Amino acid sequence: MFSNAEIGIDLGTANILIYSKTKGVVLNEPSVVAIDINTKQVVAVGLEAKEMVGKTPKNIVPIRPLKDGVIADYDVTAQMLKELLKKVSKKLGMSMRKPTVVVCTPSGSTTVERRAIHNAVTSYGAKHVHLIEEPVAAAIGADLPVDEPIANVVVDIGGGTSEVGIISFGGIVSCNSVRTGGDKMDEEIIQHIRKTYNILIGERTAENIKMEVGYAHPNHKETMMDIRGRDMVTGLPKTIEITSTEIYHAIKESLEQILEAIRATLEECPPELSGDIVDNGIVLTGGGSLLNGMQEWLSEEISVPVHMAPNPLESVAIGTGRALKMIGKLQKAAK
Ligand code: ADP
Ligand code: MG
């Protein structure tokens, strides 16, 4: 039987995930495109393109079209989506033409930005496109009872943005979005190493440092790591040893900004819902929430329980997929 595909898309600043209604998460790749600037051709997308970052000849440039949480480069985003959907349809052996799509939009996005997301998906040939607010998708994917009249608090820490949302009775009661997340921490690490040691390191090295010896909590058991970069004085490769304490100080500012967004959102919470938060706490999603010590640090700072979502990196994608089922039901009921 032929039926159009139904898919959910998490258009993340760092990773794009595609969820098929029948097969679950079918694609999870970095939101990176490599472009040949001479011919304007897309050379690679996703994982293949990310592996090229910082290693290619000058005419091949990696672009992250969604870097700051909105579509900075519309054409490139549309091309990236097209290539990734092609990949999915090859992998699954099913047509991805004219799919029904649920795609999430960052809660801070403007009407123009939402339209850009809608258009990028439509330009691929989607039959129906439904937009869902990212915090709602994250909360659904984290198994929170979003339809109940209780406060469901979700904090999604991504690459380019972090979002905090309180959802009750299926809708957003209060939310805040900050343009900071894992990427900013990587940049802060690069700056720290450059200023302290006169050594240049690349983005991927910085990300590895963050994952290995990055901590959200000031009180942690100090660990060390050997890293390699280019000495800015001699121009030669050099290995140095860094500590988790110095990395903590380097990324502290981003962490504080995320904490501020959480505090501000909790302060805006209607008092009738505050009790729920004391009892149920908040749930963390997104790759940035995997930073060592994040859960403990946040629960100490805001004095409410902090839980990790079952699948932090996939919560939004799973949520878009579940939303698809709700839309299917609504469409059937309307017939
Ligand atoms: P987005 O939704 O913006 O695409 P993701 O939720 O996919 O972002 O998270 C990507 C971010 O999470 C990146 O900055 C990445 O470095 C960070 N990240 C992933 N795993 C870890 C980890 N174990 N520790 C710290 N940060 C992590
Ligand atoms: Mg995300």
Side-chain angles (χ1 to χ4, degrees):
M1 193 190 81
F2 177 80
S3 70
N4 286 322
E6 292 178 82
I7 56 174
I9 304 179
D10 169 8
L11 215 45
T13 64
N15 297 295
I16 291 194
L17 282 80
I18 298 180
Y19 187 102
S20 139
K21 192 174 171 183
T22 48
K23 305 236 159 64
V25 174
V26 288
L27 179 129
N28 181 351
E29 300 220 14
S31 334
V32 185
V33 186
I35 291 197
D36 184 332
I37 45 169
N38 297 332
T39 62
K40 302 268 186 295
Q41 292 284 315
V42 171
V43 184
V45 295
L47 196 60
E48 210 187 323
K50 185 174 182 184
E51 278 170 358
M52 292 180 171
V53 171
K55 295 183 182 172
T56 48
K58 284 208 167 62
N59 60 314
I60 311 277
V61 265
I63 295 182
R64 289 184 51 191
L66 297 152
K67 202 161 192 261
D68 299 310
V70 290
I71 298 192
D73 195 323
Y74 171 78
D75 286 341
V76 176
T77 303
Q79 281 191 60
M80 176 169 69
L81 265 178
K82 197 166 156 184
E83 292 301 321
L84 292 176
L85 283 163
K86 251 196 228 160
K87 208 165 170 173
V88 170
S89 82
K90 226 187 243 165
K91 194 162 134 192
L92 297 184
M94 65 194 264
S95 165
M96 279 291 153
R97 290 188 56 222
K98 301 198 176 160
T100 295
V101 180
V102 171
V103 59
C104 64
T105 57
S107 62
S109 55
T110 63
T111 317
V112 174
E113 289 163 351
R114 276 163 212 247
R115 194 170 305 136
I117 293 175
H118 193 280
N119 290 349
V121 179
T122 313
S123 78
Y124 171 70
K127 198 169 156 204
H128 301 288
V129 181
H130 304 272
L131 300 182
I132 179 172
E133 305 243 29
E134 198 163 356
V136 177
I140 295 174
D143 299 332
L144 293 177
V146 293
D147 289 332
E148 288 174 28
I150 57 167
N152 294 284
V153 189
V154 63
V155 177
D156 180 79
I157 307 173
T161 57
S162 299
E163 312 212 4
V164 190
I166 302 179
I167 297 136
S168 171
F169 217 52
I172 291 183
V173 175
S174 138
C175 71
N176 276 290
S177 164
V178 278
R179 295 203 170 172
T180 184
D183 290 346
K184 178 101 174 293
M185 296 178 199
D186 298 347
E187 274 163 36
E188 287 165 338
I189 292 172
I190 293 174
Q191 296 301 332
H192 166 78
I193 304 289
R194 191 175 60 80
K195 282 192 198 135
T196 318
Y197 302 100
N198 262 321
I199 286 182
L200 284 179
I201 57 167
E203 275 170 38
R204 300 191 58 195
T205 303
E207 189 181 25
N208 286 337
I209 295 173
K210 174 185 69 182
M211 291 182 183
E212 202 166 310
V213 296
Y215 284 82
H217 206 295
N219 301 324
H220 63 264
K221 190 169 174 290
E222 190 176 65
T223 52
M224 319 284 246
M225 182 179 177
D226 278 343
I227 61 156
R228 290 184 190 84
R230 192 179 78 215
D231 189 314
M232 287 163 70
V233 181
T234 65
L236 298 172
K238 191 171 175 184
T239 303
I240 53 164
E241 189 177 61
I242 54 161
T243 70
S244 55
T245 307
E246 62 180 289
I247 298 305
Y248 163 75
H249 286 288
I251 62 176
K252 196 167 160 235
E253 208 180 296
S254 298
L255 289 165
E256 291 292 335
Q257 275 174 12
I258 296 167
L259 176 61
E260 270 321 299
I262 300 175
R263 283 217 174 100
T265 315
L266 296 183
E267 276 167 19
E268 289 160 15
C269 180
E272 292 292 2
L273 290 175
S274 293
D276 295 339
I277 301 174
V278 175
D279 293 339
N280 304 335
I282 68 172
V283 171
L284 303 182
T285 65
S289 67
L290 295 169
L291 185 73
N292 302 311
M294 186 66 102
Q295 198 182 348
E296 297 75 21
W297 173 65
L298 284 177
S299 64
E300 273 179 40
E301 291 289 337
I302 57 177
S303 310
V304 300
V306 176
H307 310 284
M308 286 300 288
N311 251 321
L313 282 161
E314 296 186 349
S315 305
V316 172
I318 295 170
T320 57
R322 291 192 186 148
L324 213 47
K325 289 185 184 143
M326 298 175 200
I327 287 164
K329 267 187 212 155
L330 293 177
Q331 282 175 344
K332 272 199 195 107
K335 272 180 192 161

